[in-house]
Structure formats: structure tokens, C-alpha cells
Amino acid sequence: MPTWFCSRDWFQRVGKFDEGGKGVPEDLVFFYQSLRRGGAALRVDECLLAYRYHPNAATHSVLEETIWGLRVNFLQERVLGQWESFTIWNAGKQGRRLYRSLSSTNQKKVMAFCDVDENKIKKGFYTYEESKERPKPRIPVLHFKESSPPYIVCVKLDMTGGVLECNLHSLHLKEGVDYHHFS
């Protein structure tokens, strides 16, 4: 848990780590359980520690797909279940992967993808080719200024040289209300 901490009292109230064995992301499971029980998470925008990975670290036994599934399920439970519709901010690989990972109920809530890449926007839509639905779902791809909140932002912070943050700020959006990060 190098990115968050809690008091011993809170730890004991939430319960023990899931000791399911190798391949279980016990810190993520515990973190989500903490949030479900009313725990809060506050972001600090400065580095407070350095974390060192080594080849034998247990973290390497956890499959990325396991973490992805837990994160998508938590997003659907805590955020998307409260929204009637939303836009996915990123018409690229991560945004499309999120869309494909959603339940069919939440896929139907996606109004559009939004992006800044003119090539993706010119295409006009994303077709979910693997869908069993007929006709196959076609989701519009819009410039972010033409799209509507709320948003699930599938762009890594600090990867755009501040452009993403400026774009979000230009729309006068409130994090946790008008958008949530999922990257």
C-alpha cells in the first residue's frame, strides 16, 4: 500500500487483508473495502515516498487483468450505477477497452467517446465489432468541446504535459462530480 495509509483503528474496523494467496491484489481489495465502509481518500499532489520494485516482489504475481477487473467492477458499483449516461474521455485503446469491459447495462449508458485526436474524431464513431448485438453498437467520437459530462477519463495524468488538465479545467468541471479518473 505505498500510495495510501490509514490508522490502525480503521484498519481493524475494515478487516484483515484477503490472504487468498499468490495472485490476489490484497491491498486493492482492502482499499475498496475501506471505501465501501465509508473510508475517504484524499489526493496529495506531491511525492511522499519512493517505492522500489524487485524481481521477486509479490506484486509481480498479480495479473494485470485481475486488477483491471476489480477496478472496472468498483467503477460500475460506485460511479456508473449512479449515472444515467456518461462520456468516455479517450477514443483510443484504453477508452475502448473500458467500454468493452463494462456490463451491457453500462455500455448502453455511453453517450460518446471524446478525444483531441483529429484522426479519431474524423472517423466519427467507434463500432463494437465483438458485440453479439445486431446492429452492432456504434458510439459517436466527438471533440471534447462538443461532448457532455459526466466523464470517465481514461487518460493517464501527467502523460500529456498538462494538456488534459487544462482541457478539463477549461470546461469548469468538478472532479468526483463531473468526472472520475480511470487510468
Side-chain angles (χ1 to χ4, degrees):
M1 302 183 318
T3 58
W4 63 279
F5 62 92
C6 65
S7 69
R8 178 181 299 275
D9 178 58
W10 183 252
F11 179 86
Q12 290 172 337
R13 287 197 322 196
V14 171
K16 297 180 178 179
F17 269 30
D18 177 344
E19 297 292 341
K22 193 171 184 175
V24 174
E26 67 276 349
D27 53 347
L28 184 60
V29 171
F30 182 88
F31 180 66
Y32 286 160
Q33 190 61 23
S34 173
L35 294 176
R36 286 183 182 104
R37 292 185 185 232
L42 304 172
R43 185 170 66 205
V44 177
D45 291 324
E46 62 182 284
C47 182
L48 300 177
L49 73 97
Y51 187 79
R52 184 177 59 95
Y53 286 97
H54 57 86
N56 297 326
T59 193
H60 298 301
S61 71
V62 179
L63 298 176
E64 190 274 336
E65 196 59 41
T66 300
I67 294 171
W68 179 267
L70 285 168
R71 292 179 61 232
V72 169
N73 289 340
F74 192 76
L75 176 71
Q76 293 185 110
E77 170 192 327
R78 300 295 283 208
V79 178
L80 303 184
Q82 317 308 312
W83 289 350
E84 291 185 24
S85 62
F86 63 97
T87 299
I88 297 175
W89 191 305
N90 184 351
K93 184 178 174 182
Q94 285 298 96
R96 293 188 317 262
R97 180 181 182 200
L98 173 61
Y99 175 83
R100 291 188 308 268
S101 299
L102 297 173
S103 68
S104 61
T105 299
N106 284 320
Q107 286 177 347
K108 289 175 178 34
K109 294 180 181 182
V110 177
M111 297 182 292
F113 287 92
C114 73
D115 213 297
V116 296
D117 184 327
E118 289 299 325
N119 291 326
K120 293 174 189 163
I121 296 165
K122 280 182 201 172
K123 197 170 174 190
F125 58 87
Y126 163 69
T127 302
Y128 181 26
E129 295 293 345
E130 295 84 20
S131 176
K132 292 178 177 32
E133 286 185 45
R134 298 294 181 260
K136 294 182 186 292
R138 288 172 45 124
I139 299 89
V141 178
L142 309 171
H143 189 276
F144 80 91
K145 290 182 180 176
E146 306 298 320
S147 65
S148 301
Y151 298 99
I152 297 299
V153 180
C154 293
V155 180
K156 290 184 180 178
L157 293 175
D158 302 325
M159 295 298 287
T160 63
V163 173
L164 170 67
E165 293 81 352
C166 287
N167 290 341
L168 288 167
H169 182 73
S170 75
L171 297 175
H172 309 289
L173 302 172
K174 181 173 172 54
E175 185 176 359
V177 176
D178 301 308
Y179 69 95
H180 289 267
H181 287 281
F182 187 86
S183 56

